[in-house]
Amino acid sequence: MHVELFYSPGCTQCDGARTQLKAAALQRFPQVQWRECNVLDALDRAVELGVLSLPALAVNGDLLFPKLPTPQQLCAALEPLARDER
């Protein structure tokens, strides 16, 4: 399972989200491949996925959260995807 978190440097909301979401996802789903994408460096990828606000999360190439989820929302969304990979 591939998770891409799009963020902007200097964004305090992004910094907090990066830490909390990554910790929650990896604790519950150790098989997650986590990638943090600075939107300034990955602008083409962000546009391709439809990212309009930050932070945003894509899972397996689909924009799953166009706005900031809670760690609980992220884990709940990853649960069925993790089951499908087993």
Side-chain angles (χ1 to χ4, degrees):
M1 186 171 7
H2 302 275
V3 176
E4 296 170 281
L5 180 125
F6 291 87
Y7 71 95
S8 177
C11 169
T12 56
Q13 185 179 16
C14 295
D15 288 341
R18 287 165 51 189
T19 304
Q20 292 176 355
L21 294 172
K22 181 178 182 179
L26 292 176
Q27 180 179 2
R28 187 138 172 217
F29 308 101
Q31 74 275 23
V32 163
Q33 294 182 18
W34 187 270
R35 179 176 174 224
E36 295 180 2
C37 304
N38 175 338
V39 75
L40 301 176
D41 296 332
L43 187 57
D44 290 341
R45 178 73 175 147
V47 169
E48 175 185 320
L49 292 172
V51 173
L52 298 176
S53 65
L54 299 172
L57 275 161
V59 178
N60 294 336
D62 293 317
L63 185 61
L64 197 59
F65 291 100
K67 294 187 178 180
L68 181 65
T70 65
Q72 295 80 10
Q73 289 170 323
L74 175 60
C75 288
L78 295 179
E79 184 67 42
L81 300 172
R83 273 188 257 127
D84 290 345
E85 288 187 356
R86 291 180 196 152

